[in-house]
Amino acid sequence: MSTPSKRRERDVMKLMMSDYTVETINDGLNEFHVEFHGPKESLYEGGVWKIRVKLPDAYPYKSPSIKFVNKIYHPNINEMSGSVCLDVINQSWSPMFDLLNVFEVFLPQLLLYPNPSSFLNGDAASLMMKDRKQYDQKVKEYCKQYAKKEHISNSRAEEDSDEEISVEGSESSDDDEIAGHADP
């Protein structure tokens, strides 16, 4: 069985070796940015976002925190903080998942299949349910205004928000106990 620190190192290196641009924060493996492109054939196609990933001490037994740094209009992503609860796509974090799953499966599914009944952005959820055409237009406007390659270098400088939601939907805390150690 590998230790959480070895697993963290392996998962981050695997992400860095993939097609994603990864920038570490403070030269550590606990916190970093990933350049994420909107999925093809979606309203978000052509958009580019900087995603902040924060790995808890108990990773992979505890889920990473995921935050969109530049703005995105989506019912399941907090417009102000960029926080996302990946549980809205009915996925529960497991040590069997790795960071590539977040960027190749979880986030694309989240953008392709928004769930207005489990919202973090009430305005987007309400508009999606009331007027889908207007919702689609607003998503496209946000992509043009906030999600271009040049925007990710100018994205929210205030990334200091404490309002981060983990994949499980609970507030991030390193004080949580690890419930069992599955063999990754």
Side-chain angles (χ1 to χ4, degrees):
M1 173 166 97
S2 65
T3 64
S5 62
K6 292 280 186 198
R7 170 67 188 272
R8 172 192 327 266
E9 185 178 309
R10 186 185 79 204
D11 283 4
V12 172
M13 290 302 155
K14 189 175 172 183
L15 189 62
M16 289 176 156
M17 300 299 281
S18 70
D19 291 336
Y20 296 98
T21 302
V22 179
E23 297 173 8
T24 59
I25 298 173
N26 298 326
D27 295 324
L29 297 179
N30 291 339
E31 199 169 350
F32 48 91
H33 290 122
V34 179
E35 186 177 302
F36 177 73
H37 295 261
K40 292 185 187 325
E41 300 181 22
S42 77
L43 295 172
Y44 302 93
E45 183 174 12
V48 182
W49 289 270
K50 182 186 278 189
I51 307 293
R52 181 174 155 217
V53 179
K54 190 172 185 178
L55 301 178
D57 290 339
Y59 178 85
Y61 305 106
K62 191 169 184 314
S63 63
S65 292
I66 306 296
K67 178 180 173 183
F68 281 75
V69 177
N70 46 325
K71 285 189 172 190
I72 185 168
Y73 193 75
H74 190 284
N76 310 119
I77 300 168
N78 185 300
E79 185 177 2
M80 297 306 290
S81 70
S83 297
V84 58
C85 175
L86 295 179
D87 198 43
V88 297
I89 56 173
N90 297 322
Q91 296 284 346
S92 296
W93 182 259
S94 161
M96 296 192 53
F97 297 131
D98 65 19
L99 293 172
L100 274 177
N101 287 110
V102 171
F103 292 95
E104 292 181 351
V105 179
F106 294 164
L107 289 178
Q109 284 186 1
L110 180 72
L111 297 185
L112 285 165
Y113 308 108
N115 181 358
S117 62
S118 179
F119 60 88
L120 291 176
N121 179 338
D123 178 55
S126 176
L127 187 59
M128 184 181 183
M129 289 190 284
K130 290 179 184 170
D131 188 345
R132 185 60 190 241
K133 194 172 186 176
Q134 191 176 356
Y135 167 81
D136 292 355
Q137 184 59 38
K138 192 156 186 177
V139 167
K140 290 175 185 177
E141 288 171 13
Y142 265 62
C143 286
K144 280 184 191 171
Q145 192 170 359
Y146 303 108
K148 296 295 176 205
K149 185 83 167 166
E150 60 270 16
H151 297 133
I152 63 173
S153 58
N154 303 339
S155 50
R156 287 189 199 141
E158 78 294 325
E159 284 183 65
D160 304 327
S161 172
D162 291 331
E163 184 185 336
E164 292 183 24
I165 301 176
S166 72
V167 174
E168 295 176 45
S170 60
E171 291 296 320
S172 296
S173 170
D174 293 335
D175 297 331
D176 292 343
E177 289 193 25
I178 301 169
H181 293 279
D183 189 12

